[in-house]
Amino acid sequence: MENESGVSEFLLHGFPDTKELLIVHIVLFLIIYLVALIENIIIITVIVYSHQLHSPMYFFLVNLSLQDLGSISVTVPKSMLNSLMNTEAISYSGCLCQVFFLVFFMMSHFFLLCVMAYDRYVAICNPLHYETIMSKKACIQMVTSVWMGGLSYSMLYTGNLFSGKFCSKIIYQFFCEIPQLLKISCSTSYVAEEWLIIVGSSLAFIFFVLIVFSYVKIFKAVFQIPSIQGKQKAFSTCLPHLLVICLFLVSGTFAYLKPISSSPSTSDILVSMFYCVVPPIMNPLIYSMRNKELKMAIWKLILNIFSNTLPPIFQFFVV
């Protein structure tokens, strides 16, 4: 893509440049990234190697973990690298890639949450036809649509955003955040940008309504279950997904509807961390806390790995 603004790089003024705070930033982000990396890799590995977890719900959970890994890998490693190299620069193409992949993972994440809500709706409200409706072919088609929808929107949005000119190269954030880029954009043509925002907002609203409708039906069906154990089992599969949706929507809405500061702000950094960094860490924990099948599969995998590393004489006692 041709750069019409003459800007070859941007400067990320996200964190103070004092040595002590830079060390804290590197250590904190390294811990956060490693925790998110380990959690999501464990979730993916356990589901792939546990045949009892080869169901639509866990198939969607694998894709959710892939999206979490992608979204946090877009922003955090570059921020740590800049701090290690004591620089604030990010190239024009690097900034474009950050925006492209962040929008791609965020939009596909939202689409997937809607698909997962539909999966829970069918499982609880129409259990007799669940295997027919949520067949392997249908699940693959849904997930493909999720990724292609996120990719298409990201291509349109990023292409339009970077087709204009930028009056400044200073971004008061630790990554190329869209509100900050819009603030320094000096392009006079906002028609396409406004249409893309309207389309994105409309899609988000439609999917939000579908999610709400699904859960209204789900809770109505759950309260009609006569046994307490049946209700607990239904809630154990629905509440984690509902918490993930709330975390994603609240953090994203607050981040993009808040006023944009004209100078470095600690609150802006914290809000951006909340919607970019926190969900990839919390999602695996939320899904594994109340899910007995997933917890048992995780412990089984850990014990298998542990037993294989022991000398043969000790493996008998572990097994």
PDB file of all heavy atoms in Angstrom, residues 12 15-31 33 75-89 174:
ATOM      1  N   LEU A  12       5.708   5.428  19.321  1.00  0.00           N
ATOM      2  CA  LEU A  12       4.751   4.974  20.320  1.00  0.00           C
ATOM      3  C   LEU A  12       5.121   5.541  21.687  1.00  0.00           C
ATOM      4  O   LEU A  12       5.993   5.016  22.381  1.00  0.00           O
ATOM      5  CB  LEU A  12       4.729   3.441  20.359  1.00  0.00           C
ATOM      6  CG  LEU A  12       4.391   2.732  19.038  1.00  0.00           C
ATOM      7  CD1 LEU A  12       4.539   1.224  19.186  1.00  0.00           C
ATOM      8  CD2 LEU A  12       2.977   3.089  18.586  1.00  0.00           C
ATOM      9  N   PHE A  15       4.691   4.426  27.169  1.00  0.00           N
ATOM     10  CA  PHE A  15       5.218   4.310  28.521  1.00  0.00           C
ATOM     11  C   PHE A  15       6.317   5.347  28.748  1.00  0.00           C
ATOM     12  O   PHE A  15       7.026   5.739  27.817  1.00  0.00           O
ATOM     13  CB  PHE A  15       5.794   2.910  28.750  1.00  0.00           C
ATOM     14  CG  PHE A  15       4.758   1.831  28.736  1.00  0.00           C
ATOM     15  CD1 PHE A  15       4.517   1.095  27.590  1.00  0.00           C
ATOM     16  CD2 PHE A  15       4.014   1.556  29.869  1.00  0.00           C
ATOM     17  CE1 PHE A  15       3.558   0.098  27.569  1.00  0.00           C
ATOM     18  CE2 PHE A  15       3.049   0.570  29.861  1.00  0.00           C
ATOM     19  CZ  PHE A  15       2.820  -0.163  28.715  1.00  0.00           C
ATOM     20  N   PRO A  16       6.485   5.806  29.985  1.00  0.00           N
ATOM     21  CA  PRO A  16       7.574   6.745  30.298  1.00  0.00           C
ATOM     22  C   PRO A  16       8.921   6.107  29.981  1.00  0.00           C
ATOM     23  O   PRO A  16       9.081   4.886  30.039  1.00  0.00           O
ATOM     24  CB  PRO A  16       7.412   6.975  31.811  1.00  0.00           C
ATOM     25  CG  PRO A  16       5.989   6.625  32.104  1.00  0.00           C
ATOM     26  CD  PRO A  16       5.628   5.532  31.148  1.00  0.00           C
ATOM     27  N   ASP A  17       9.890   6.964  29.649  1.00  0.00           N
ATOM     28  CA  ASP A  17      11.181   6.442  29.198  1.00  0.00           C
ATOM     29  C   ASP A  17      12.206   6.331  30.320  1.00  0.00           C
ATOM     30  O   ASP A  17      13.396   6.225  30.065  1.00  0.00           O
ATOM     31  CB  ASP A  17      11.746   7.329  28.075  1.00  0.00           C
ATOM     32  CG  ASP A  17      11.830   8.797  28.490  1.00  0.00           C
ATOM     33  OD1 ASP A  17      11.436   9.121  29.630  1.00  0.00           O
ATOM     34  OD2 ASP A  17      12.279   9.619  27.665  1.00  0.00           O
ATOM     35  N   THR A  18      11.771   6.370  31.588  1.00  0.00           N
ATOM     36  CA  THR A  18      12.707   6.162  32.688  1.00  0.00           C
ATOM     37  C   THR A  18      13.103   4.695  32.756  1.00  0.00           C
ATOM     38  O   THR A  18      12.303   3.804  32.464  1.00  0.00           O
ATOM     39  CB  THR A  18      12.083   6.597  34.030  1.00  0.00           C
ATOM     40  OG1 THR A  18      10.897   5.825  34.261  1.00  0.00           O
ATOM     41  CG2 THR A  18      11.718   8.071  34.006  1.00  0.00           C
ATOM     42  N   LYS A  19      14.325   4.454  33.176  1.00  0.00           N
ATOM     43  CA  LYS A  19      14.879   3.100  33.151  1.00  0.00           C
ATOM     44  C   LYS A  19      14.102   2.157  34.059  1.00  0.00           C
ATOM     45  O   LYS A  19      13.828   1.008  33.686  1.00  0.00           O
ATOM     46  CB  LYS A  19      16.344   3.147  33.579  1.00  0.00           C
ATOM     47  CG  LYS A  19      17.051   1.802  33.488  1.00  0.00           C
ATOM     48  CD  LYS A  19      18.520   1.939  33.839  1.00  0.00           C
ATOM     49  CE  LYS A  19      19.212   0.575  33.739  1.00  0.00           C
ATOM     50  NZ  LYS A  19      20.653   0.677  34.090  1.00  0.00           N
ATOM     51  N   GLU A  20      13.741   2.629  35.255  1.00  0.00           N
ATOM     52  CA  GLU A  20      13.042   1.772  36.209  1.00  0.00           C
ATOM     53  C   GLU A  20      11.679   1.332  35.669  1.00  0.00           C
ATOM     54  O   GLU A  20      11.297   0.148  35.752  1.00  0.00           O
ATOM     55  CB  GLU A  20      12.871   2.486  37.555  1.00  0.00           C
ATOM     56  CG  GLU A  20      14.177   2.747  38.304  1.00  0.00           C
ATOM     57  CD  GLU A  20      14.936   3.933  37.741  1.00  0.00           C
ATOM     58  OE1 GLU A  20      14.352   4.648  36.895  1.00  0.00           O
ATOM     59  OE2 GLU A  20      16.107   4.129  38.141  1.00  0.00           O
ATOM     60  N   LEU A  21      10.927   2.281  35.097  1.00  0.00           N
ATOM     61  CA  LEU A  21       9.601   1.958  34.583  1.00  0.00           C
ATOM     62  C   LEU A  21       9.681   1.075  33.338  1.00  0.00           C
ATOM     63  O   LEU A  21       8.798   0.248  33.104  1.00  0.00           O
ATOM     64  CB  LEU A  21       8.833   3.239  34.275  1.00  0.00           C
ATOM     65  CG  LEU A  21       8.393   4.055  35.497  1.00  0.00           C
ATOM     66  CD1 LEU A  21       7.719   5.347  35.067  1.00  0.00           C
ATOM     67  CD2 LEU A  21       7.457   3.237  36.376  1.00  0.00           C
ATOM     68  N   LEU A  22      10.731   1.259  32.542  1.00  0.00           N
ATOM     69  CA  LEU A  22      10.904   0.390  31.372  1.00  0.00           C
ATOM     70  C   LEU A  22      11.148  -1.058  31.794  1.00  0.00           C
ATOM     71  O   LEU A  22      10.642  -1.988  31.173  1.00  0.00           O
ATOM     72  CB  LEU A  22      12.064   0.893  30.517  1.00  0.00           C
ATOM     73  CG  LEU A  22      11.811   2.131  29.668  1.00  0.00           C
ATOM     74  CD1 LEU A  22      13.061   2.533  28.903  1.00  0.00           C
ATOM     75  CD2 LEU A  22      10.664   1.899  28.687  1.00  0.00           C
ATOM     76  N   ILE A  23      11.925  -1.239  32.865  1.00  0.00           N
ATOM     77  CA  ILE A  23      12.183  -2.594  33.372  1.00  0.00           C
ATOM     78  C   ILE A  23      10.887  -3.221  33.884  1.00  0.00           C
ATOM     79  O   ILE A  23      10.591  -4.392  33.609  1.00  0.00           O
ATOM     80  CB  ILE A  23      13.249  -2.552  34.488  1.00  0.00           C
ATOM     81  CG1 ILE A  23      14.593  -2.121  33.905  1.00  0.00           C
ATOM     82  CG2 ILE A  23      13.370  -3.918  35.160  1.00  0.00           C
ATOM     83  CD1 ILE A  23      15.676  -1.918  34.935  1.00  0.00           C
ATOM     84  N   VAL A  24      10.104  -2.422  34.613  1.00  0.00           N
ATOM     85  CA  VAL A  24       8.809  -2.911  35.103  1.00  0.00           C
ATOM     86  C   VAL A  24       7.895  -3.290  33.931  1.00  0.00           C
ATOM     87  O   VAL A  24       7.218  -4.323  33.951  1.00  0.00           O
ATOM     88  CB  VAL A  24       8.126  -1.842  35.986  1.00  0.00           C
ATOM     89  CG1 VAL A  24       6.708  -2.264  36.340  1.00  0.00           C
ATOM     90  CG2 VAL A  24       8.933  -1.611  37.253  1.00  0.00           C
ATOM     91  N   HIS A  25       7.897  -2.458  32.896  1.00  0.00           N
ATOM     92  CA  HIS A  25       7.082  -2.721  31.707  1.00  0.00           C
ATOM     93  C   HIS A  25       7.486  -4.023  31.038  1.00  0.00           C
ATOM     94  O   HIS A  25       6.630  -4.861  30.694  1.00  0.00           O
ATOM     95  CB  HIS A  25       7.224  -1.533  30.742  1.00  0.00           C
ATOM     96  CG  HIS A  25       6.786  -1.824  29.347  1.00  0.00           C
ATOM     97  ND1 HIS A  25       7.500  -1.400  28.244  1.00  0.00           N
ATOM     98  CD2 HIS A  25       5.738  -2.521  28.859  1.00  0.00           C
ATOM     99  CE1 HIS A  25       6.892  -1.808  27.157  1.00  0.00           C
ATOM    100  NE2 HIS A  25       5.823  -2.486  27.485  1.00  0.00           N
ATOM    101  N   ILE A  26       8.789  -4.232  30.868  1.00  0.00           N
ATOM    102  CA  ILE A  26       9.274  -5.445  30.205  1.00  0.00           C
ATOM    103  C   ILE A  26       8.916  -6.687  31.013  1.00  0.00           C
ATOM    104  O   ILE A  26       8.387  -7.668  30.471  1.00  0.00           O
ATOM    105  CB  ILE A  26      10.804  -5.365  29.995  1.00  0.00           C
ATOM    106  CG1 ILE A  26      11.152  -4.241  29.006  1.00  0.00           C
ATOM    107  CG2 ILE A  26      11.341  -6.700  29.474  1.00  0.00           C
ATOM    108  CD1 ILE A  26      12.631  -3.954  28.916  1.00  0.00           C
ATOM    109  N   VAL A  27       9.188  -6.644  32.312  1.00  0.00           N
ATOM    110  CA  VAL A  27       8.924  -7.798  33.169  1.00  0.00           C
ATOM    111  C   VAL A  27       7.432  -8.110  33.218  1.00  0.00           C
ATOM    112  O   VAL A  27       7.010  -9.263  33.086  1.00  0.00           O
ATOM    113  CB  VAL A  27       9.486  -7.558  34.588  1.00  0.00           C
ATOM    114  CG1 VAL A  27       9.066  -8.696  35.524  1.00  0.00           C
ATOM    115  CG2 VAL A  27      10.999  -7.434  34.549  1.00  0.00           C
ATOM    116  N   LEU A  28       6.621  -7.062  33.404  1.00  0.00           N
ATOM    117  CA  LEU A  28       5.172  -7.250  33.495  1.00  0.00           C
ATOM    118  C   LEU A  28       4.602  -7.829  32.208  1.00  0.00           C
ATOM    119  O   LEU A  28       3.827  -8.808  32.229  1.00  0.00           O
ATOM    120  CB  LEU A  28       4.490  -5.918  33.819  1.00  0.00           C
ATOM    121  CG  LEU A  28       2.963  -5.934  33.906  1.00  0.00           C
ATOM    122  CD1 LEU A  28       2.507  -6.846  35.037  1.00  0.00           C
ATOM    123  CD2 LEU A  28       2.423  -4.522  34.098  1.00  0.00           C
ATOM    124  N   PHE A  29       4.984  -7.237  31.072  1.00  0.00           N
ATOM    125  CA  PHE A  29       4.469  -7.721  29.787  1.00  0.00           C
ATOM    126  C   PHE A  29       4.985  -9.119  29.463  1.00  0.00           C
ATOM    127  O   PHE A  29       4.267  -9.915  28.848  1.00  0.00           O
ATOM    128  CB  PHE A  29       4.833  -6.744  28.676  1.00  0.00           C
ATOM    129  CG  PHE A  29       3.777  -5.709  28.428  1.00  0.00           C
ATOM    130  CD1 PHE A  29       3.057  -5.173  29.470  1.00  0.00           C
ATOM    131  CD2 PHE A  29       3.492  -5.262  27.150  1.00  0.00           C
ATOM    132  CE1 PHE A  29       2.076  -4.214  29.255  1.00  0.00           C
ATOM    133  CE2 PHE A  29       2.509  -4.318  26.907  1.00  0.00           C
ATOM    134  CZ  PHE A  29       1.798  -3.793  27.977  1.00  0.00           C
ATOM    135  N   LEU A  30       6.223  -9.419  29.873  1.00  0.00           N
ATOM    136  CA  LEU A  30       6.773 -10.758  29.625  1.00  0.00           C
ATOM    137  C   LEU A  30       5.987 -11.812  30.405  1.00  0.00           C
ATOM    138  O   LEU A  30       5.639 -12.866  29.860  1.00  0.00           O
ATOM    139  CB  LEU A  30       8.244 -10.796  30.025  1.00  0.00           C
ATOM    140  CG  LEU A  30       8.959 -12.148  29.819  1.00  0.00           C
ATOM    141  CD1 LEU A  30       8.948 -12.551  28.354  1.00  0.00           C
ATOM    142  CD2 LEU A  30      10.393 -12.086  30.348  1.00  0.00           C
ATOM    143  N   ILE A  31       5.683 -11.522  31.661  1.00  0.00           N
ATOM    144  CA  ILE A  31       4.908 -12.456  32.485  1.00  0.00           C
ATOM    145  C   ILE A  31       3.515 -12.641  31.896  1.00  0.00           C
ATOM    146  O   ILE A  31       3.018 -13.773  31.757  1.00  0.00           O
ATOM    147  CB  ILE A  31       4.821 -11.952  33.941  1.00  0.00           C
ATOM    148  CG1 ILE A  31       6.207 -11.978  34.591  1.00  0.00           C
ATOM    149  CG2 ILE A  31       3.833 -12.799  34.744  1.00  0.00           C
ATOM    150  CD1 ILE A  31       6.252 -11.342  35.963  1.00  0.00           C
ATOM    151  N   TYR A  33       2.498 -12.151  28.832  1.00  0.00           N
ATOM    152  CA  TYR A  33       2.529 -12.848  27.532  1.00  0.00           C
ATOM    153  C   TYR A  33       2.793 -14.338  27.713  1.00  0.00           C
ATOM    154  O   TYR A  33       2.142 -15.170  27.058  1.00  0.00           O
ATOM    155  CB  TYR A  33       3.598 -12.219  26.647  1.00  0.00           C
ATOM    156  CG  TYR A  33       3.618 -12.780  25.238  1.00  0.00           C
ATOM    157  CD1 TYR A  33       2.551 -12.556  24.375  1.00  0.00           C
ATOM    158  CD2 TYR A  33       4.689 -13.536  24.784  1.00  0.00           C
ATOM    159  CE1 TYR A  33       2.551 -13.074  23.087  1.00  0.00           C
ATOM    160  CE2 TYR A  33       4.707 -14.051  23.499  1.00  0.00           C
ATOM    161  CZ  TYR A  33       3.630 -13.822  22.655  1.00  0.00           C
ATOM    162  OH  TYR A  33       3.634 -14.335  21.388  1.00  0.00           O
ATOM    163  N   THR A  75       0.435  -7.147  19.675  1.00  0.00           N
ATOM    164  CA  THR A  75       0.791  -5.902  20.365  1.00  0.00           C
ATOM    165  C   THR A  75       1.926  -6.052  21.378  1.00  0.00           C
ATOM    166  O   THR A  75       2.840  -5.241  21.410  1.00  0.00           O
ATOM    167  CB  THR A  75      -0.443  -5.347  21.098  1.00  0.00           C
ATOM    168  OG1 THR A  75      -0.946  -6.351  22.004  1.00  0.00           O
ATOM    169  CG2 THR A  75      -1.537  -4.983  20.100  1.00  0.00           C
ATOM    170  N   VAL A  76       1.867  -7.085  22.223  1.00  0.00           N
ATOM    171  CA  VAL A  76       2.773  -7.167  23.373  1.00  0.00           C
ATOM    172  C   VAL A  76       4.241  -7.403  22.983  1.00  0.00           C
ATOM    173  O   VAL A  76       5.126  -6.706  23.491  1.00  0.00           O
ATOM    174  CB  VAL A  76       2.280  -8.254  24.356  1.00  0.00           C
ATOM    175  CG1 VAL A  76       3.317  -8.523  25.442  1.00  0.00           C
ATOM    176  CG2 VAL A  76       0.956  -7.818  24.980  1.00  0.00           C
ATOM    177  N   PRO A  77       4.586  -8.358  22.100  1.00  0.00           N
ATOM    178  CA  PRO A  77       6.001  -8.569  21.783  1.00  0.00           C
ATOM    179  C   PRO A  77       6.700  -7.328  21.216  1.00  0.00           C
ATOM    180  O   PRO A  77       7.844  -7.050  21.573  1.00  0.00           O
ATOM    181  CB  PRO A  77       5.960  -9.702  20.740  1.00  0.00           C
ATOM    182  CG  PRO A  77       4.703 -10.433  21.043  1.00  0.00           C
ATOM    183  CD  PRO A  77       3.729  -9.379  21.454  1.00  0.00           C
ATOM    184  N   LYS A  78       6.037  -6.590  20.330  1.00  0.00           N
ATOM    185  CA  LYS A  78       6.643  -5.383  19.764  1.00  0.00           C
ATOM    186  C   LYS A  78       6.891  -4.342  20.848  1.00  0.00           C
ATOM    187  O   LYS A  78       7.917  -3.655  20.839  1.00  0.00           O
ATOM    188  CB  LYS A  78       5.727  -4.812  18.675  1.00  0.00           C
ATOM    189  CG  LYS A  78       6.205  -3.486  18.073  1.00  0.00           C
ATOM    190  CD  LYS A  78       7.576  -3.600  17.459  1.00  0.00           C
ATOM    191  CE  LYS A  78       8.005  -2.275  16.843  1.00  0.00           C
ATOM    192  NZ  LYS A  78       9.395  -2.315  16.314  1.00  0.00           N
ATOM    193  N   SER A  79       5.952  -4.216  21.787  1.00  0.00           N
ATOM    194  CA  SER A  79       6.121  -3.260  22.873  1.00  0.00           C
ATOM    195  C   SER A  79       7.314  -3.634  23.754  1.00  0.00           C
ATOM    196  O   SER A  79       8.106  -2.776  24.150  1.00  0.00           O
ATOM    197  CB  SER A  79       4.841  -3.199  23.721  1.00  0.00           C
ATOM    198  OG  SER A  79       4.955  -2.245  24.742  1.00  0.00           O
ATOM    199  N   MET A  80       7.464  -4.926  24.044  1.00  0.00           N
ATOM    200  CA  MET A  80       8.619  -5.380  24.832  1.00  0.00           C
ATOM    201  C   MET A  80       9.920  -5.164  24.073  1.00  0.00           C
ATOM    202  O   MET A  80      10.931  -4.746  24.644  1.00  0.00           O
ATOM    203  CB  MET A  80       8.453  -6.855  25.188  1.00  0.00           C
ATOM    204  CG  MET A  80       7.387  -7.138  26.221  1.00  0.00           C
ATOM    205  SD  MET A  80       7.450  -8.847  26.824  1.00  0.00           S
ATOM    206  CE  MET A  80       7.109  -9.770  25.317  1.00  0.00           C
ATOM    207  N   LEU A  81       9.909  -5.432  22.775  1.00  0.00           N
ATOM    208  CA  LEU A  81      11.113  -5.262  21.955  1.00  0.00           C
ATOM    209  C   LEU A  81      11.543  -3.808  21.927  1.00  0.00           C
ATOM    210  O   LEU A  81      12.742  -3.503  22.035  1.00  0.00           O
ATOM    211  CB  LEU A  81      10.841  -5.764  20.540  1.00  0.00           C
ATOM    212  CG  LEU A  81      12.007  -5.695  19.554  1.00  0.00           C
ATOM    213  CD1 LEU A  81      13.159  -6.563  20.027  1.00  0.00           C
ATOM    214  CD2 LEU A  81      11.572  -6.111  18.160  1.00  0.00           C
ATOM    215  N   ASN A  82      10.603  -2.892  21.791  1.00  0.00           N
ATOM    216  CA  ASN A  82      10.934  -1.471  21.801  1.00  0.00           C
ATOM    217  C   ASN A  82      11.564  -1.054  23.119  1.00  0.00           C
ATOM    218  O   ASN A  82      12.515  -0.260  23.148  1.00  0.00           O
ATOM    219  CB  ASN A  82       9.685  -0.633  21.539  1.00  0.00           C
ATOM    220  CG  ASN A  82       9.364  -0.513  20.066  1.00  0.00           C
ATOM    221  OD1 ASN A  82       9.958  -1.197  19.231  1.00  0.00           O
ATOM    222  ND2 ASN A  82       8.409   0.339  19.723  1.00  0.00           N
ATOM    223  N   SER A  83      11.038  -1.578  24.227  1.00  0.00           N
ATOM    224  CA  SER A  83      11.594  -1.232  25.533  1.00  0.00           C
ATOM    225  C   SER A  83      13.003  -1.802  25.692  1.00  0.00           C
ATOM    226  O   SER A  83      13.893  -1.147  26.241  1.00  0.00           O
ATOM    227  CB  SER A  83      10.690  -1.751  26.648  1.00  0.00           C
ATOM    228  OG  SER A  83       9.434  -1.107  26.618  1.00  0.00           O
ATOM    229  N   LEU A  84      13.229  -3.020  25.210  1.00  0.00           N
ATOM    230  CA  LEU A  84      14.567  -3.621  25.293  1.00  0.00           C
ATOM    231  C   LEU A  84      15.576  -2.859  24.453  1.00  0.00           C
ATOM    232  O   LEU A  84      16.740  -2.698  24.849  1.00  0.00           O
ATOM    233  CB  LEU A  84      14.501  -5.079  24.830  1.00  0.00           C
ATOM    234  CG  LEU A  84      13.881  -6.088  25.802  1.00  0.00           C
ATOM    235  CD1 LEU A  84      13.693  -7.432  25.123  1.00  0.00           C
ATOM    236  CD2 LEU A  84      14.755  -6.243  27.042  1.00  0.00           C
ATOM    237  N   MET A  85      15.130  -2.373  23.297  1.00  0.00           N
ATOM    238  CA  MET A  85      16.030  -1.646  22.400  1.00  0.00           C
ATOM    239  C   MET A  85      16.047  -0.144  22.689  1.00  0.00           C
ATOM    240  O   MET A  85      16.723   0.606  21.991  1.00  0.00           O
ATOM    241  CB  MET A  85      15.601  -1.884  20.946  1.00  0.00           C
ATOM    242  CG  MET A  85      15.664  -3.342  20.519  1.00  0.00           C
ATOM    243  SD  MET A  85      15.135  -3.594  18.801  1.00  0.00           S
ATOM    244  CE  MET A  85      16.383  -2.659  17.917  1.00  0.00           C
ATOM    245  N   ASN A  86      15.279   0.264  23.701  1.00  0.00           N
ATOM    246  CA  ASN A  86      15.205   1.665  24.101  1.00  0.00           C
ATOM    247  C   ASN A  86      14.822   2.565  22.925  1.00  0.00           C
ATOM    248  O   ASN A  86      15.455   3.579  22.645  1.00  0.00           O
ATOM    249  CB  ASN A  86      16.539   2.118  24.703  1.00  0.00           C
ATOM    250  CG  ASN A  86      16.400   3.427  25.466  1.00  0.00           C
ATOM    251  OD1 ASN A  86      15.308   3.776  25.921  1.00  0.00           O
ATOM    252  ND2 ASN A  86      17.497   4.153  25.591  1.00  0.00           N
ATOM    253  N   THR A  87      13.767   2.175  22.247  1.00  0.00           N
ATOM    254  CA  THR A  87      13.257   2.963  21.132  1.00  0.00           C
ATOM    255  C   THR A  87      11.745   2.989  21.176  1.00  0.00           C
ATOM    256  O   THR A  87      11.118   2.137  21.812  1.00  0.00           O
ATOM    257  CB  THR A  87      13.724   2.378  19.786  1.00  0.00           C
ATOM    258  OG1 THR A  87      13.215   3.178  18.713  1.00  0.00           O
ATOM    259  CG2 THR A  87      13.237   0.959  19.615  1.00  0.00           C
ATOM    260  N   GLU A  88      11.146   3.978  20.520  1.00  0.00           N
ATOM    261  CA  GLU A  88       9.690   4.083  20.446  1.00  0.00           C
ATOM    262  C   GLU A  88       9.178   3.916  19.021  1.00  0.00           C
ATOM    263  O   GLU A  88       7.979   4.025  18.778  1.00  0.00           O
ATOM    264  CB  GLU A  88       9.232   5.459  20.978  1.00  0.00           C
ATOM    265  CG  GLU A  88       9.563   5.684  22.449  1.00  0.00           C
ATOM    266  CD  GLU A  88       9.165   7.071  22.914  1.00  0.00           C
ATOM    267  OE1 GLU A  88       9.181   8.011  22.058  1.00  0.00           O
ATOM    268  OE2 GLU A  88       8.841   7.236  24.094  1.00  0.00           O
ATOM    269  N   ALA A  89      10.070   3.636  18.099  1.00  0.00           N
ATOM    270  CA  ALA A  89       9.713   3.627  16.685  1.00  0.00           C
ATOM    271  C   ALA A  89       9.037   2.327  16.271  1.00  0.00           C
ATOM    272  O   ALA A  89       9.368   1.244  16.757  1.00  0.00           O
ATOM    273  CB  ALA A  89      10.960   3.846  15.833  1.00  0.00           C
ATOM    274  N   PHE A 174       0.935   2.167  23.537  1.00  0.00           N
ATOM    275  CA  PHE A 174       2.045   1.227  23.402  1.00  0.00           C
ATOM    276  C   PHE A 174       1.913   0.374  22.146  1.00  0.00           C
ATOM    277  O   PHE A 174       2.745  -0.494  21.898  1.00  0.00           O
ATOM    278  CB  PHE A 174       2.174   0.342  24.654  1.00  0.00           C
ATOM    279  CG  PHE A 174       1.026  -0.614  24.862  1.00  0.00           C
ATOM    280  CD1 PHE A 174       1.075  -1.907  24.362  1.00  0.00           C
ATOM    281  CD2 PHE A 174      -0.088  -0.225  25.580  1.00  0.00           C
ATOM    282  CE1 PHE A 174       0.027  -2.787  24.559  1.00  0.00           C
ATOM    283  CE2 PHE A 174      -1.138  -1.105  25.789  1.00  0.00           C
ATOM    284  CZ  PHE A 174      -1.083  -2.381  25.272  1.00  0.00           C
TER     285      PHE A 174
END
